[in-house]
Amino acid sequence: MKASASEMVSTLSTLLPGRVSTAERHQLEYARDLWPRGLIEIAFGALPKQRPEAVVWPLTTEEVVEVVRIARRHRRPVVPFGAGSGVCGGAVPIHGGLVVDLKRMSRVLQIDEEVGSASFEAGILGERLENELSRNKLTLGHFPSSIMCSTLGGWLATRSAGQYSTKYGKIEDLVEAVTFVDGRGEIHQVGRLTRPDVLQLIVGSEGTLGIITQATLRVERQPELEWLRAWRFSSVEVGLEAIRGLLQANLRPAVVRLYDELDSFLHKNDARASESANETSRVGRESFSSEYWLNLLRPTGRARGRLPDLRRLGIAAALLRPSVTHFVTSTLLSHFQPGCLLIIGFEGEDSLTRAESDDASSILRLAGGIDLGEEPAARWKAHRYDTSFHMPKIFEAGAFVDTMEVATTWDKLPKLYRTVRRALSRLAFVMAHFSHAYPDGCSIYFTFAARAATQREAEQRYDELWSAAMEATNEAGAALSHHHGVGLLKAPFMEKEHGRSGMEILRALKATFDPDYILNPGKLGLCAPLSLMRYRSLALLTHG
Ligand SMILES: Cc1cc2nc3c(=O)[nH]c(=O)nc-3n(C[C@H](O)[C@H](O)[C@H](O)COP(=O)(O)OP(=O)(O)OC[C@H]3O[C@@H](n4cnc5c(N)ncnc54)[C@H](O)[C@@H]3O)c2cc1C
């Protein structure tokens, strides 16, 4: 450790006794988040290229102020860390420095039923936050698949979206106010009602402008009635038209998820497999995308005895030749004609929910939908948090899997789907669903998987996949991220999306809030002028 860094650590240890660690175990644990590129390294047994010098656990906003001031005096980076569930490398300490883990700042500050608001410290885990509200018969309505392993601060920093965002909004729609500490160690309190809206600059700034320590959120009464059903449409295009019609008729379902043909086909097969295996806890689609891959790739666990080895090996090989696989699956799909599965749900006050769901059913039927009843939708709901928690096992099995969420307006949506899918399917096995729908547009969530024999090959394929998909998204005039954020992954594409003048605005904000560029350097494509060259070499290293 450099002299300045060890001096910094000793000052911090006096300030936060027992809450500063330089242990190698912690340095390794906090060297990565859940960015799949880092998981490739782990799968091949490689140690992280970067690690923090120390990890600190503050308990109050004032302690965060002191931590930032001390780090600033020593010109060391400060990386805010929620639960590390980010999938874009946003919490990776690429220049070392301090990782500030906020999870010990997790108090409920107030819950006001009359006003319909609640305040929490930023390190509270999503699941606990919702449980605390539940006790008062309230809900935030924010249910990301990672609710058990992500924090309020992480949600705000990345502009997270929950599964019910169509009704309740994304986290930026739910936040009323935040307290944050900037890169000079100054405390700010910003609220929704002040203009210009500084709050919305901080939300989504991924720890580059400030460390969020507290937030106030809009909350609602828990719904009286929930209505959840599955429908089938003949194609993606027909399904999308139906959803658009519904939203533009001013209906606000809580959840809308339209799966493309491949995803719907696999969903159906998986449900059948569960039934025939007579499982008491049946596998829903959400666990399918992760565990199914694993089962196909490795002859262990649930897959044993369920799938013949030959088939498993065939599918594992298919991941090596994605374009052939896509040709075969599209031929198969035209034979089976599975159509596209739609999960749709309304919730809220009893009579309104009944009226909305009746109207929605009429619109969906007129648009060509076939009502599949409650069962497939109930299965989705029962397994909606299973998603991807087994992802690391897929990596252990020699493949990698990742997801990409892009968004655009209704007119561009079918083209965006086709272009990005084509770009990805040359190199990976890919499927998609459409969720987070709004009156003006919708997001597409691609899931893709590929295999490679060596770490280098896997990383090259991974980088190629993302470059191709980001180019295709940009060409289609769509947003590069709907809710996972930018982090390191999309930093090289920021200028393409925002243009030079957009980046100048972001840099000016950075220079104001964080003049020494100590807060999460390198993220969002914002680099200190002096370390620019160093960052560029890292971008080259990570993106080829
Ligand atoms: C299985 C799985 C499912 C997922 N599903 C969803 C989903 O449905 N919807 C969704 O939106 N995302 C999803 N994600 C992505 C991830 O959970 C979100 O990005 C989440 O908001 C990150 O929260 P975190 O607390 O883990 O943040 P971290 O990963 O720790 O950090 C994310 C970024 O926020 C910054 N940050 C963290 N805390 C603070 C703070 N207090 N102040 C300032 N900056 C901070 C970090 O520096 C980093 O840049 C999923 C991820 C996984 C692994």
Side-chain angles (χ1 to χ4, degrees):
M1 202 187 292
K2 286 180 198 151
S4 70
S6 64
E7 207 180 296
M8 173 181 73
V9 169
S10 90
T11 316
L12 283 166
S13 303
T14 316
L15 176 74
L16 313 176
R19 287 182 282 122
V20 179
S21 173
T22 53
E24 189 180 25
R25 177 171 76 84
H26 286 132
Q27 289 181 342
L28 290 173
E29 274 172 18
Y30 287 86
R32 297 187 180 103
D33 55 12
L34 286 181
W35 183 20
R37 206 179 189 286
L39 302 183
I40 292 177
E41 282 180 356
I42 296 176
F44 285 94
L47 287 173
K49 293 190 190 76
Q50 67 296 307
R51 58 178 84 173
E53 282 132 27
V55 182
V56 300
W57 290 271
L59 295 177
T60 61
T61 301
E62 289 67 29
E63 284 189 353
V64 173
V65 167
E66 287 310 315
V67 168
V68 170
R69 288 187 179 165
I70 291 167
R72 189 181 183 207
R73 270 207 301 281
H74 292 86
R75 297 284 190 273
R76 299 307 299 144
V78 177
V79 179
F81 197 98
S85 71
V87 286
C88 302
V92 175
I94 50 169
H95 298 299
L98 287 180
V99 164
V100 180
D101 183 341
L102 288 127
K103 279 193 295 299
R104 292 201 195 171
M105 291 180 62
S106 62
R107 282 178 307 155
V108 181
L109 301 173
Q110 60 97 17
I111 296 180
D112 190 327
E113 281 180 52
E114 204 178 314
V115 175
S117 79
S119 304
F120 304 90
E121 286 185 323
I124 188 168
L125 283 168
E127 190 187 23
R128 203 189 122 218
L129 181 151
E130 190 58 29
N131 287 342
E132 296 286 352
L133 292 174
S134 269
R135 253 183 244 151
N136 295 276
K137 304 252 179 299
L138 296 170
T139 180
L140 177 61
H142 187 72
F143 307 101
S145 307
S146 55
I147 193 163
M148 296 162 204
C149 62
S150 55
T151 63
L152 172 59
W155 292 349
L156 290 163
T158 56
R159 292 192 165 238
S160 160
Q163 292 161 349
Y164 286 17
S165 67
T166 299
K167 176 179 169 73
Y168 295 97
K170 292 180 69 199
I171 197 72
E172 62 263 33
D173 307 309
L174 296 165
V175 63
E176 298 282 349
V178 299
T179 301
F180 71 96
V181 176
D182 72 13
R184 299 164 304 174
E186 300 292 329
I187 301 176
H188 302 262
Q189 285 173 322
V190 288
R192 183 185 277 285
L193 298 179
T194 50
R195 290 292 177 269
D197 195 346
V198 180
L199 171 64
Q200 289 295 336
L201 287 176
I202 299 307
V203 175
S205 62
E206 300 189 16
T208 61
L209 303 181
I211 302 181
I212 298 165
T213 56
Q214 297 181 357
T216 301
L217 307 163
R218 188 188 75 214
V219 297
E220 290 193 20
R221 287 201 185 291
Q222 283 184 337
E224 281 172 18
L225 182 70
E226 294 176 38
W227 179 92
L228 193 62
R229 279 188 107 79
W231 290 72
R232 191 169 70 229
F233 286 88
S234 57
S235 68
V236 160
E237 284 77 8
V238 177
L240 285 178
E241 269 308 291
I243 299 172
R244 185 177 68 81
L246 199 131
L247 284 155
Q248 292 181 350
N250 266 334
L251 291 168
R252 288 294 168 274
V255 58
V256 192
R257 297 167 83 87
L258 178 72
Y259 296 88
D260 73 2
E261 281 93 347
L262 179 55
D263 216 341
S264 304
F265 173 68
L266 296 173
H267 179 278
K268 204 157 118 187
N269 268 9
D270 191 55
R272 274 200 201 124
S274 302
E275 274 157 23
S276 63
N278 202 18
E279 291 166 338
T280 43
S281 153
R282 295 201 297 183
V283 186
R285 158 67 187 83
E286 295 307 306
S287 62
F288 166 81
S289 63
S290 55
E291 234 172 290
Y292 187 78
W293 290 114
L294 172 68
N295 290 342
L296 295 176
L297 293 167
R298 206 171 54 175
T300 56
R302 204 204 310 264
R304 191 183 290 147
R306 207 169 92 185
L307 293 164
D309 278 351
L310 259 181
R311 190 176 151 206
R312 191 180 304 122
L313 283 175
I315 296 183
L319 281 183
L320 287 173
R321 292 267 173 278
S323 45
V324 178
T325 313
H326 277 289
F327 176 75
V328 175
T329 45
S330 53
T331 313
L332 267 177
L333 286 180
S334 63
H335 177 71
F336 285 109
Q337 295 182 336
C340 294
L341 176 73
L342 171 72
I343 305 287
I344 183 161
F346 287 85
E347 63 178 42
E349 189 267 320
D350 190 310
S351 57
L352 185 64
T353 304
R354 283 180 205 282
E356 282 186 320
S357 51
D358 283 351
D359 284 357
S361 299
S362 308
I363 293 176
L364 295 176
R365 207 167 288 117
L366 269 177
I370 296 169
D371 189 347
L372 302 179
E374 288 174 3
E375 199 273 336
R379 195 169 56 242
W380 168 78
K381 186 161 183 201
H383 295 278
R384 66 185 174 140
Y385 297 131
D386 295 355
T387 323
S388 331
F389 285 108
H390 301 283
M391 261 195 183
K393 296 186 202 157
I394 303 170
F395 287 81
E396 282 167 27
F400 65 81
V401 62
D402 202 353
T403 57
M404 176 184 298
E405 23 65 69
V406 291
T408 194
T409 46
W410 290 109
D411 53 330
K412 296 179 190 151
L413 206 60
K415 184 177 170 212
L416 175 67
Y417 168 64
R418 282 193 304 273
T419 332
V420 175
R421 191 172 185 280
R422 198 180 312 124
L424 286 171
S425 58
R426 277 189 310 113
L427 300 159
F429 192 61
V430 52
M431 54 191 166
H433 68 259
F434 299 75
S435 51
H436 310 295
Y438 312 100
D440 54 346
C442 185
S443 100
I444 314 179
Y445 193 89
F446 292 95
T447 300
F448 55 93
R451 293 192 89 196
T454 64
Q455 181 184 344
R456 197 176 156 73
E457 270 177 43
E459 289 174 346
Q460 271 173 354
R461 184 173 280 206
Y462 182 87
D463 296 345
E464 239 181 291
L465 272 161
W466 271 96
S467 274
M470 289 289 95
E471 288 294 335
T473 307
N474 194 262
E475 267 164 39
L480 299 184
S481 173
H482 176 262
H483 57 268
H484 283 168
V486 174
L488 285 175
L489 171 62
K490 296 166 208 164
F493 308 100
M494 279 288 281
E495 187 151 336
K496 265 215 149 139
E497 177 153 70
H498 292 269
R500 192 176 288 181
S501 57
M503 290 308 288
E504 268 165 23
I505 295 172
L506 291 180
R507 283 194 196 102
L509 284 169
K510 176 77 175 165
T512 305
F513 284 109
D514 181 25
D516 295 304
Y517 278 72
I518 58 166
L519 290 183
N520 213 0
K523 310 302 160 46
L524 291 186
L526 296 172
C527 318
L530 278 180
S531 65
L532 194 59
M533 292 313 295
R534 207 171 142 201
Y535 169 66
R536 280 212 175 120
S537 40
L538 185 110
L540 278 177
L541 210 78
T542 51
H543 291 280

